[in-house]
Amino acid sequence: MRKLYLLLLLMSLAFTVTVNAQKRADYFPQSQLITTGVYYYPEHWDSTQWERDFRNMAAMGFEFTHFAEFAWAQLEPKEGKYDFAWLDKALALAAKYNLKVIMCTSTCTPPVWLVRKHPSILLLDENGVREDHGSRQAASFSSNYYRQYSLKMVAELAKHYGKDSRIVGWQIDNEPTSYFDYNPDAQQRFRDWLKNRYGTIDALNKTWGTSFWSQTYSDFSEINIPEHKQWGMNLNQRLDHYRFVASETSSFLDDQAREIKKYASPRQWITSNYIPSYGCGYIGASKELDFLTYTRYMVYGEDQGVGPKGYRLGDPYRIAMSNDFFRPLSPYYGVMELQPGQVNWGRINPQPLPGAVRLWLWHQFAGGSKLVCTYRYRAPLTGYEQYHYGIVGTDGVTPTTGGLEYQKFIQEVNLLRKDYTLGTKLPSGYLARKTAILFNHENIWGMDMNKQTDQWNSLGHISKYYNTLKSFGAPVDFIVDSSDFLKYPVLIAPAYQQIDKALIDKLTSYVKAGGNLVLTCRTGHKDHEMHLWEAKFAAPIYDLIGSEIESFDLPMPQSQDSVLMDNKTYAWKTWGELLKPLPGTEVWATYQGEFYAGKPAVITRKLGKGTVTYVGVDSNKGLLEKEVLKKLYNRLNIPVENYPEGVTVEYRDGFGIGVNYGDKKYQLNIPDDAQILIGTKELPTAGVAVWKLK
Ligand code: GAL
C-alpha cells in the first residue's frame, strides 16, 4: 500500500511539474514576441468616460490594461464591506475592446479607516517620526495588523476575479521596497527572526562579535532594531537587519501570492513590479511569483547620458542592466512601467528627446522582455503627480509624443510578429562572448557599511566591467552562487567581498574545466558574516589567483596614483591592492608613483584548462578595466565589438536590435544577407534599427 501511495504521489508530482511548465509556456506565446499595455485608474475618472478611453486605448494598439493598483479605499470602503461593482463595469468595458487586464493588489494604499483604527501600521522611523495617511507606501510590512487586513482584502479580490478569463495575471503591491520600521511589531518580528536564525543567544553573540565594546546580550528580548544612523553601531546587527527587512518584503509578497493561488486559476500569472535596486536583497527572493517585472524612468533631470543633451535620453546602461539583471532571475521578465514622457517627481523634469520613448521600448525588448506597460494612460488632473505625462494629455484624448511613440512601437512589433521564424539561431560571435557577472547583494551591504574610503562606489565598480561588456556587444547575465557557471566562457566576480570555501571550490572547478574567471579588488576579504579571516588578507583566494595580497592602499583623492599597463597609464584613487604573485603568474599592470611603485596591480595565470585574472585596483574611469578585458578576450580569441558609448546591439528571437543613446550617428555593421525591418544601417541619435537574421 505504501509503495502504491508513493508511486501515486510521484506520478501526481510529475503531473504538477508538467502542468506548471505547460502553464508557464502558455503565458506568453513565443510568436507574440511581446505584449504592450497601459495603466488605467477607472476610479480617477467619470465612469461615463471609461468606454471612450478603452476604445481609444485599443485603437492605439494596446493589448492590455492594468487596474486597481491604488484602489483599496474604493474596493473596501468600510471594514469588511467590499464593492467590486465599479471594477466589474470597467472590466466589462475593457473586455468589449479586447483589452486583457492585469489585476493589482492595492496593498500600498491602505484606506483611512484602517489607518485610524490601527495607527501602528504606519511606519515609525529611527528618529521616532511616524508617517501619516495622505500619501502611499506609509504602512509597514512588519505590522501584523497591516498583513492581516491586506491578506483579507487580497483574498476577497481573488475570490471575485480569480476565475475570470479576462484577467491575465496579478501584480502584487506596487514597487515593493524594504521598510525600516521601529514599531513594536517590527521589533518583535526582528527578535523572532534572529532567534530562528541563531537558535541560541550565544551563537548570536559570537557572530555579532558582541564582546567588542561590551555589547553582550543574555536574551533575544534585549535586542532592538539597530539605529543605522547612530555612530559605531554593530555591523552584524545592521547586516542582520538588512536581511530581515528584505525577508519581510519577500515574505509579504509570497503571502499575498499564496492567498491569490487559493482562489485563482493557474492560467493567471502572478508578478510584482520592482524598482531595480540591485543591492536590495528581496528581488528574486519571493518564490511564489511566476516571473518578475521591473519599472524604469529614464529622464528626471539628472545629468546622465552621453554628451550635454544626454539627459534627454538617459543613461544608456540603465535599461540594459535591468534587462540583464532581471532576465536570469525567472523564466521571463517584463517591464511593468516605462516612462511615457515628462515626469513630475525629479529634481528638474525635462521633456525627453522626441524618439526617446521608442528607443527605450526597443531597448527593453532587446533584452528579451515579454511584456511592457506604461504608467499611465491619462495625465492626472489632481493629486501629487500633476504634470506627469501619460499616453494622452490632460484633455483625456490627445495622444502625447510618448503616446504616439508607444503606438509606433506596437505597430512595429506587429510587423515583426509577421516576420518571426521560430528557432532562428543567434550570431555565433554574440554567443561566444556571453559573459556572466557574479552578484550577491550582501557584498554591497557589506562594503557600503564598511567602505574604508568614501571614494568607493560598490555598484559603480561593477558598472565599470558591465559597461565595457556592453561596448563589446556581449550578452551579459547577472548570476548567483548557485548558477551554472560553465554556461559562460567568461565569469567576472567584481569586488565579491564575502566568500566561502564552497564558492572558492566551485570557482576553482569552473576554471580547471576551461572557464575564464576575472576577480577584482576586495574579493574574498571576509566570510559571509563579514568577519575577516584569521589569516592574511583574502588568504582563501591565494591558491586560485596565484598570488598573495600583501596589503591595500586608499590614497587621498587629491594625490591619486596611476598604474601602468602595456605602456599606458590609468589613474586610480579608490582601492589598490599590492599583489605578490607566485611563480607562474603573469603581471599585466604595476603601480606607478607611490612608495610601492613597481608592485603588481593586475595579474593573470593559467589554471587547468582555464585562466584566472585578478584586477587589484579600481581605476577612475574604468579605462583600465576595459583594457584588461580587451586583452583577455583577445587572448582567448573571443570576438568583441567596439561600440561607442551609447550604442548597444542585442539579439533575440532571430532579430538584431540596435539602439543609439549617443550624440553622434553610428554606422551599424549589419550582415548583407540580413533583412532590415526597422530603421537603417545608419543609426542617428535616439535611432533604432531592427533586422532579421537569416
Ligand atoms: C513609479 C510608481 C508609479 C508612479 C510613477 C510616477 O515609481 O510605481 O505608481 O508613481 O512612479 O512616475
Side-chain angles (χ1 to χ4, degrees), residues 70 136 174-175 297 337 345 375 385 388:
F70 303 123
R136 70 173 181 198
N174 167 58
E175 288 187 332
Y297 291 82
E337 292 177 33
W345 45 262
Y375 175 90
E385 289 177 343
H388 196 295

Side-chain angles (χ1 to χ4, degrees), residues 329-346:
L329 283 175
S330 62
Y332 305 123
Y333 80 95
V335 181
M336 199 59 98
E337 292 177 33
L338 189 71
Q339 186 170 358
Q342 238 167 323
V343 298
N344 68 296
W345 45 262

Side-chain angles (χ1 to χ4, degrees), residues 582-629:
L582 305 171
T585 300
E586 198 185 325
V587 176
W588 274 5
T590 49
Y591 292 99
Q592 285 290 281
E594 283 296 341
F595 57 90
Y596 40 79
K599 285 260 181 209
V602 181
I603 53 176
T604 193
R605 72 178 300 213
K606 291 201 171 101
L607 180 65
K609 294 188 192 145
T611 64
V612 187
T613 303
Y614 191 83
V615 188
V617 64
D618 175 60
S619 83
N620 290 356
K621 294 193 176 148
L623 297 178
L624 172 77
E625 288 78 350
K626 187 167 188 171
E627 263 335 283
V628 168
L629 291 188

Side-chain angles (χ1 to χ4, degrees), residues 497 522-527 531-533 537-538 552 575 577:
Q497 183 182 256
R522 300 194 80 147
T523 293
H525 278 219
K526 301 185 182 186
D527 68 12
H531 298 174
L532 291 165
W533 308 106
F537 281 119
F552 54 89
W575 194 285
E577 290 175 357

Side-chain angles (χ1 to χ4, degrees), residues 367-388:
S369 133
K370 296 284 187 186
L371 162 159
V372 65
C373 188
T374 189
Y375 175 90
R376 49 187 279 161
Y377 182 67
R378 290 180 66 170
L381 305 182
T382 58
Y384 174 74
E385 289 177 343
Q386 284 186 352
Y387 292 124
H388 196 295

Side-chain angles (χ1 to χ4, degrees), residues 157-370:
L157 202 64
K159 280 181 205 161
H160 197 82
Y161 293 112
K163 299 278 182 290
D164 195 320
S165 61
R166 298 168 297 183
I167 312 285
V168 278
W170 296 80
Q171 176 195 301
I172 294 178
D173 204 73
N174 167 58
E175 288 187 332
T177 181
S178 43
Y179 297 114
F180 284 17
D181 176 26
Y182 290 78
N183 270 298
D185 278 0
Q187 299 283 6
Q188 190 52 48
R189 289 171 72 99
F190 181 51
R191 290 176 197 128
D192 294 345
W193 184 89
L194 290 171
K195 201 164 182 179
N196 189 36
R197 182 175 180 87
Y198 292 101
T200 66
I201 199 70
D202 288 349
L204 177 138
N205 278 317
K206 190 157 182 257
T207 302
W208 284 18
T210 54
S211 52
F212 187 75
W213 289 352
S214 200
Q215 291 166 0
T216 313
Y217 294 99
S218 56
D219 192 85
F220 286 94
S221 62
E222 295 165 341
I223 299 173
N224 279 346
I225 289 175
E227 307 268 339
H228 290 270
K229 291 187 198 141
Q230 183 174 333
W231 180 84
M233 186 52 67
N234 183 299
L235 293 179
N236 281 88
Q237 189 174 352
R238 294 182 60 200
L239 175 66
D240 273 338
H241 186 237
Y242 285 141
R243 287 170 173 156
F244 165 74
V245 290
S247 87
E248 290 289 82
T249 303
S250 59
S251 74
F252 185 50
L253 300 188
D254 271 343
D255 285 355
Q256 290 197 40
R258 270 189 290 270
E259 208 55 42
I260 293 171
K261 284 179 187 173
K262 278 188 200 158
Y263 309 103
S265 149
R267 277 195 316 274
Q268 297 177 340
W269 45 253
I270 304 177
T271 188
S272 188
N273 61 338
Y274 295 97
I275 300 173
S277 338
Y278 303 111
C280 68
Y282 51 79
I283 298 176
S286 292
K287 297 301 171 205
E288 299 287 338
L289 305 185
D290 292 306
F291 64 95
L292 309 186
T293 73
Y294 69 77
T295 66
R296 259 304 173 215
Y297 291 82
M298 299 291 289
V299 169
Y300 46 94
E302 290 311 313
D303 199 10
Q304 51 190 17
V306 184
K309 299 280 168 81
Y311 68 85
R312 292 197 192 276
L313 286 164
D315 178 344
Y317 304 106
R318 200 168 152 86
I319 288 179
M321 189 152 155
S322 304
N323 288 344
D324 295 343
F325 186 85
F326 277 76
R327 188 186 45 250
L329 283 175
S330 62
Y332 305 123
Y333 80 95
V335 181
M336 199 59 98
E337 292 177 33
L338 189 71
Q339 186 170 358
Q342 238 167 323
V343 298
N344 68 296
W345 45 262
R347 200 170 47 89
I348 299 169
N349 297 290
Q351 287 280 359
L353 194 72
V357 171
R358 175 169 163 268
L359 176 86
W360 302 329
L361 279 161
W362 279 110
H363 199 183
Q364 62 79 34
F365 175 89
S369 133
K370 296 284 187 186

